[in-house]
Amino acid sequence: MAQAAHHDARPSALRRFLEGQSSAGLVLMAAAALALVIANTPLNPAYQAALHAPLGPLSVELWINDGLMAVFFLLVGLEIKRESLDGQLSTWPRRALPGIAAAGGMAVPALVFLALNPAGTTHGWAIPAATDIAFALGVISLLGSRVPASLRVFLAALAIIDDLGAVLIIALFYNTGLSWPDLAGAALVLALLFALNRLGVLNLLPYLLLGAVLWVLVLRSGIHATLAGVLLALAIPLRARPAAPDDEVASPLHRLEHALHIPVGFLIVPVFGLANAGVPFLGLPASAFAAPVTLGVGLGLLVGKAVGVFGAATLTIRLGLADLPPYASRTQLFGTALLCGIGFTMSLFITLLAFPGDPVLQAEAKIGILGGSLVSGLLGYALLRVAPNDWPGSPSR
């Protein structure tokens, strides 16, 4: 009876996750649009001054990008852990289609970028490799019952795996000047966090206090500070298969994830978008719109993501490693692959790491991100809107 109750509760939990991400995506769209407006009006000098104003040991911009975004990465880590241990990615058959599709959707955009860029800018190869889960689900939510629920789950699972790939890329390729004493201190704190987990400590306070210390040490170590959020998430306890819904509520991971969804989705990510999406188009030369970085990022998102995700998914299905999502057509799968080209939050974040201190290359990358994401979103939306569907609850039935 308890297991049945838990099983019944899972779809509603997944629906709440999808609905929350979709609504957050709409807020993020508004924040990005506002940033673009401000950056191209007389308000831009005040906007830039506010971002670079000192606030204690860091500037406002660094508090947003290194501090608030560490909380975003904490939530990403919690979602990855939950889905991997007790969710849509808990078994290999469930991981196969979104996992292989995500791999294709990261590799092909990187190849597109490298094909269009000379040696001096190749460090930006990972910029078009990420999908923005909130933005993509925000667009697909506008289609309502025209899209089968299985495709929403597929898109969410793919984006979560995509986030994991982006985290690994940041950890492996975007670090500078490592401080070994700070790394040793971070490793010690991480060991203490896992010791709390092994000892069965369910109170979140000691984890969060040690997590704050971990963030400071990682910030000083040369590894990007936001990775402290992912490391902390890995240490938060989760009972793999709770015996009853009450146990799920008692799980520290579920409690923390539930507490973070609203502030991250409706405050932290929009603030990040507001701080980083402002590109002053009016002050850029015309050549910036056709620069190798701009084209590499834009075409990487628009063409590379669609080809990589759809191609890898189609190959996986034809080889019999996975099935097409229930009630979904191949046309709808391609429309969903187009939506994966919306690479806003993580792409902007990687841009800051790939081209630090180079405002021209950052601006070119941001133009590519905004252009590629916009066209991908519009084409994906249009295709999914007109694609015939025949699933229970669709308008055509």
Side-chain angles (χ1 to χ4, degrees):
M1 180 69 69
Q3 289 179 341
H6 176 63
H7 177 76
D8 292 340
R10 183 161 300 284
S12 63
L14 180 60
R15 274 198 303 273
R16 287 195 300 272
F17 168 75
L18 294 175
E19 291 168 359
Q21 291 289 335
S22 300
S23 301
L26 300 177
V27 175
L28 178 56
M29 292 179 198
L34 179 60
L36 285 172
V37 170
I38 293 174
N40 290 279
T41 65
L43 294 174
N44 186 48
Y47 167 75
Q48 296 296 335
L51 288 177
H52 294 96
L55 185 62
L58 302 175
S59 68
V60 171
E61 184 179 35
L62 287 177
W63 275 116
I64 293 171
N65 294 339
D66 290 5
L68 290 182
M69 287 302 285
V71 182
F72 165 78
F73 274 83
L74 170 59
L75 180 59
V76 167
L78 294 172
E79 290 171 352
I80 292 171
K81 182 173 181 177
R82 171 178 54 77
E83 292 295 334
S84 298
L85 296 180
D86 194 30
Q88 290 299 318
L89 304 174
S90 59
T91 64
W92 285 111
R94 288 181 174 181
R95 295 171 189 156
L97 187 63
I100 297 174
M106 299 189 81
V108 177
L111 293 174
V112 170
F113 182 92
L114 291 172
L116 293 170
N117 278 270
T121 54
T122 54
H123 208 47
W125 63 270
I127 295 171
T131 294
D132 190 298
I133 185 171
F135 240 135
L137 288 173
V139 173
I140 208 171
S141 72
L142 299 175
L143 293 157
S145 59
R146 291 180 180 273
V147 178
S150 61
L151 274 182
R152 299 170 190 261
V153 174
F154 167 75
L155 179 59
L158 185 151
I160 289 171
I161 296 172
D162 201 291
D163 281 345
L164 175 59
V167 168
L168 293 175
I169 287 172
I170 292 169
L172 294 174
F173 298 102
Y174 292 106
N175 297 309
T176 56
L178 297 181
S179 166
W180 292 106
D182 287 311
L183 279 176
L188 176 60
V189 172
L190 189 60
L192 292 174
L193 285 165
F194 280 105
L196 291 177
N197 185 316
R198 295 290 296 175
L199 292 171
V201 176
L202 299 180
N203 188 332
L204 279 170
L205 183 59
Y207 291 98
L208 297 179
L209 291 175
L210 284 173
V213 176
L214 180 66
W215 177 81
V216 172
L217 290 169
V218 173
L219 176 67
R220 292 167 31 174
S221 72
I223 296 176
H224 202 272
T226 52
L227 295 179
V230 179
L231 295 174
L232 173 59
L234 297 178
I236 303 296
L238 168 70
R239 293 190 176 94
R241 283 184 174 79
D246 289 342
D247 285 343
E248 184 173 341
V249 173
S251 166
L253 188 145
H254 286 89
R255 295 203 311 270
L256 184 56
E257 185 181 10
H258 179 74
L260 289 178
H261 263 303
I262 290 178
V264 168
F266 294 92
L267 178 62
I268 289 176
V269 172
V271 166
F272 174 81
L274 184 63
N276 292 282
V279 181
F281 294 120
L282 301 179
L284 291 174
S287 59
F289 294 87
V293 169
T294 305
L295 295 177
V297 172
L299 293 177
L301 288 170
L302 176 59
V303 178
K305 272 291 185 181
V307 171
V309 170
F310 183 72
T314 299
L315 181 62
T316 303
I317 293 168
R318 288 189 175 177
L319 291 176
L321 300 176
D323 297 323
L324 192 68
Y327 303 110
S329 67
R330 293 187 186 276
T331 301
Q332 289 175 319
L333 183 63
F334 183 68
T336 305
L338 281 168
L339 293 185
C340 291
I342 303 174
F344 191 77
T345 306
M346 200 69 82
S347 293
L348 284 176
F349 189 79
I350 295 175
T351 294
L352 303 177
L353 304 180
F355 304 126
D358 194 326
V360 174
L361 290 180
Q362 285 187 14
E364 291 173 357
K366 289 179 180 181
I367 293 171
I369 293 167
L370 295 171
S373 297
L374 177 62
V375 178
S376 295
L378 291 175
L379 290 179
Y381 175 86
L383 184 57
L384 288 171
R385 186 169 182 81
V386 302
N389 55 75
D390 188 32
W391 68 284
S394 70
S396 61
R397 286 181 65 90

